[in-house]
Amino acid sequence: MTTWLFIAALATLALLLALCYRPLGDYMAHTFTSRKDLRVERGVYRLVGVDSASEQSWPAYMRSMLAFSVVGILVVYLLQRIQHWLPYSLGLPNVPEGLSFNTAISFVTNTNWQSYSPELTLGYTVQFAGLAVQNFISAAVGIAVAIALVRGFALRRMGTIGNFWVDTTRAIVRILLPFSIVAAVVLIAGGVIQNFNPVEAVHTLTGAGQNLPGGPVASQEAIKELGTNGGGFFNANSAHPFENPTAWTSMFEVFLLLLIPFTLPRTFGKMVGDHRQGYAILATMSTLFVASLVALTVFEYQGGGAATQAAGGAMEGKEDRFGILGSALFGTSSTLTSTGAVNSMHDSFTPLGGMMTMVNMMLGEVAPGGVGAGLYGILIMAVVAVFLAGLMAGRTPEYLGKKIGGREIKLASLYFLTTPTLVLAGTALSFAIPGVVNSVEKTTIWNPGQHGFSEVLYMFTSAANNNGSAFAGVTANTPWLNASLGAVMFLGRFLPIVFILALAGSLAAQDKVPATTGTLPTHRPQFVGLLIGTILLVSALTYFPVVALGPLAEGLH
């Protein structure tokens, strides 16, 4: 892809997202505020025994979410363990216990971390009945939690924050499913395969043999990107021509994974009754996104030494049909959301380019973040920014008319401390525990030194942030990594959600405080700057030392 063609494609992408911002954002706001149920939704409620008119307190909302997710983990685990006896198993054996545990948690938590080669490990039934179903459900859970937090800001003196079953059902039926069907049709038209054919043996022009896989790829690819899930049907993920054949399908996939996260700020503004608040959140997300994209692109063109510069950029691990520009855009979009899909190998990026993909996740994936997760993540940082501004001004901090007191700031602090704790603890334990360190260094890491450290750091950063992408130089299918990464993914998903729901309940119980001359305006450029500074400051103070030991040290070597 030439530079000018890429610029035109990027401008088209920005235009399409801008055109979708208002109608889709308003549609999602209507979806979660309407009192009317669709016929199919009423059938679901009868099946699970739910009264759609009833509201839940935050503990009840949390218990429903956790119970539903645990059941999902058990179902996906069971499907893998009995795979050999399922239809369309392709003759593949049952998946081992440790890998089944890791994969089940991975897809239920919207991480889609894959410690295996999908086409060599999973049959079609497990792929579409287990993993693809969770792609819908996990994305819907993220949206539901974000909506619950928005209600916390919008409601007054309420002991409830909505109904988990209603929010999740509507997210699937009214948003994710219809949009995924349209997206799958577009991908099929673009050359993505969709069939149930077995592996086909063919002969190449040179007479060599090759096995060509099939599968219901387009249907899974659509929700993989739209739901910011990221798990590929094939090991090469979106670098595989059966998943992502051309440059324009790659741009379409980027559009899908950015669509909902970039339009949820409009939903937020609509539901709280002030569209300016949504634009402030959108401006923050967009600024961080553009800055990250520019930095990664520059590092891939200029980094890596004289040989890379003489070749015109770092093309190792990248597909010619996407080039450096298309790979940088996809990598930035994937790691700034919780998608984790790749159309190039991040492990082959220049040291500073690879660092940027890692830093994108360390920012909390808030620019724009995953479906739902990005919105509630950046709203937490907005609460922290307002609190810091209140300390500097000597006033009681308020955000959208709600006081940010001790309980609220403690919950916000617990939220943004959870992920780095998991990242740093997991990385440290992998190099500190006798026996584990030998296993990790001798059988897992293929690249010793600073880059090997970066690979392990990236792995736990990806798992804790529920991203799912990886540096490829690590063998992750080991007992320690299957267990530790599974635990990190579970805690990294559900502990922050518990704090989010508790915060939503605390805010919903408050009355709104009238704005005064001393109230901090949170819709102006000054607040956008404060919010960006808060996000960068919190991330830098948390992660800079460990980044300096790995990718930064390698890049400055």
Side-chain angles (χ1 to χ4, degrees):
M1 182 181 291
T2 64
T3 301
W4 288 110
L5 183 59
F6 174 78
I7 292 174
L10 189 62
T12 303
L13 173 66
L15 177 62
L16 290 174
L17 290 172
L19 291 174
C20 292
Y21 177 75
R22 182 168 181 171
L24 180 56
D26 289 349
Y27 171 73
M28 289 192 290
H30 174 75
T31 294
F32 296 108
T33 55
S34 172
R35 291 293 180 181
K36 294 182 178 180
D37 298 322
L38 301 180
R39 179 179 298 179
V40 64
E41 294 169 349
R42 291 194 293 270
V44 173
Y45 303 147
R46 284 195 296 270
L47 182 65
V48 298
V50 170
D51 179 7
S52 63
S54 66
E55 298 276 316
Q56 292 178 306
S57 64
W58 81 261
Y61 202 103
M62 176 195 68
R63 289 193 297 269
S64 298
M65 180 273 301
L66 289 176
F68 190 47
S69 299
V70 169
V71 170
I73 291 172
L74 295 176
V75 170
V76 177
Y77 179 85
L78 177 63
L79 285 173
Q80 294 175 88
R81 297 294 295 136
I82 63 172
Q83 170 178 251
H84 185 67
W85 299 287
L86 296 175
Y88 295 107
S89 67
L90 305 181
L92 295 171
N94 297 330
V95 182
E97 295 95 331
L99 184 57
S100 295
F101 166 81
N102 183 279
T103 303
I105 291 179
S106 173
F107 278 79
V108 171
T109 59
N110 199 246
T111 310
N112 289 35
W113 173 269
Q114 294 173 292
S115 298
Y116 58 91
S117 296
E119 61 265 46
L120 301 178
T121 308
L122 299 179
Y124 297 160
T125 301
V126 175
Q127 289 266 30
F128 72 78
L131 307 190
V133 167
Q134 285 304 318
N135 282 350
F136 283 96
I137 293 175
S138 63
V141 169
I143 295 174
V145 172
I147 294 300
L149 179 59
V150 173
R151 289 196 188 105
F153 287 109
L155 297 174
R156 298 184 180 187
R157 296 183 179 180
M158 292 291 291
T160 58
I161 58 173
N163 187 307
F164 169 78
W165 304 103
V166 173
D167 292 341
T168 304
T169 302
R170 289 186 176 186
I172 294 174
V173 173
R174 303 192 190 188
I175 301 171
L176 297 173
L177 188 57
F179 281 81
S180 293
I181 292 173
V182 174
V185 172
V186 174
L187 290 172
I188 291 172
V192 179
I193 67 171
Q194 179 75 14
N195 58 59
F196 285 90
N197 297 338
V199 176
E200 183 178 358
V202 299
H203 294 285
T204 67
L205 294 177
T206 62
Q210 185 173 356
N211 294 325
L212 296 181
V217 178
S219 55
Q220 185 163 322
E221 192 76 10
I223 187 57
K224 158 192 156 183
E225 310 295 7
L226 184 68
T228 60
N229 295 280
F233 201 94
F234 302 112
N235 192 41
N237 207 281
S238 289
H240 198 292
F242 287 178
E243 285 195 36
N244 191 9
T246 63
W248 81 260
T249 57
S250 186
M251 293 297 293
F252 180 67
E253 290 187 13
V254 171
F255 168 75
L256 289 178
L257 62 90
L258 295 178
L259 179 60
I260 295 177
F262 263 132
T263 51
L264 274 173
R266 173 72 182 190
T267 304
F268 163 66
K270 183 81 171 179
M271 292 181 66
V272 299
D274 188 351
H275 290 303
R276 298 175 302 174
Q277 302 296 335
Y279 284 120
I281 297 298
L282 177 65
T284 303
M285 291 176 169
S286 301
T287 301
L288 291 171
F289 181 91
V290 172
S292 175
L293 176 59
V294 171
L296 179 53
T297 302
V298 169
F299 289 147
E300 288 305 291
Y301 269 109
Q302 302 298 326
T308 300
Q309 296 180 29
M315 276 299 295
E316 178 185 300
K318 299 179 178 66
E319 294 290 313
D320 283 339
R321 65 186 186 277
F322 306 139
I324 292 176
L325 293 172
S327 300
L329 173 63
F330 203 103
T332 299
S333 303
S334 177
T335 52
L336 276 174
T337 61
S338 64
T339 311
V342 295
N343 73 350
S344 58
M345 299 301 106
H346 293 179
D347 196 37
S348 294
F349 281 13
T350 63
L352 295 181
M355 180 190 72
M356 283 306 305
T357 62
M358 203 181 304
V359 167
N360 288 343
M361 294 182 284
M362 291 174 174
L363 290 176
E365 296 179 336
V366 295
V371 287
L375 179 61
Y376 64 65
I378 202 167
L379 290 180
I380 285 288
M381 298 312 298
V383 167
V384 174
V386 167
F387 180 77
L388 294 176
L391 291 179
M392 292 186 287
R395 296 180 180 273
T396 302
E398 303 167 8
Y399 186 49
L400 302 178
K402 298 299 181 75
K403 290 185 177 181
I404 308 302
R407 175 178 172 80
E408 288 75 26
I409 198 61
K410 287 175 184 176
L411 290 170
S413 299
L414 288 170
Y415 174 91
F416 70 72
L417 288 174
T418 298
T419 301
T421 299
L422 294 171
V423 172
L424 300 178
T427 303
L429 290 174
S430 295
F431 288 107
I433 299 177
V436 171
V437 63
N438 292 333
S439 171
V440 171
E441 289 184 343
K442 293 181 180 179
T443 66
T444 302
I445 302 175
W446 294 19
N447 304 291
Q450 295 160 339
H451 193 72
F453 176 81
S454 297
E455 289 173 344
V456 176
L457 175 62
Y458 191 108
M459 183 164 35
F460 281 96
T461 301
S462 177
N465 285 279
N466 301 135
N467 184 270
S469 62
F471 274 4
V474 176
T475 300
N477 188 15
T478 66
W480 162 251
L481 291 178
N482 278 331
S484 60
L485 290 174
V488 166
M489 287 185 287
F490 186 89
L491 295 175
R493 172 70 163 182
F494 296 115
L495 272 182
I497 286 180
V498 170
F499 301 136
I500 287 291
L501 295 177
L503 178 60
S506 178
L507 294 171
Q510 294 185 31
D511 197 0
K512 286 203 172 186
V513 179
T516 65
T517 55
T519 301
L520 174 68
T522 54
H523 61 277
R524 295 179 180 173
Q526 295 92 326
F527 180 74
V528 173
L530 175 64
L531 181 53
I532 292 173
T534 301
I535 293 170
L536 296 176
L537 181 63
V538 169
S539 300
L541 291 177
T542 305
Y543 290 110
F544 180 78
V546 73
V547 171
L549 292 174
L552 187 59
E554 184 184 4
L556 298 178
H557 182 67

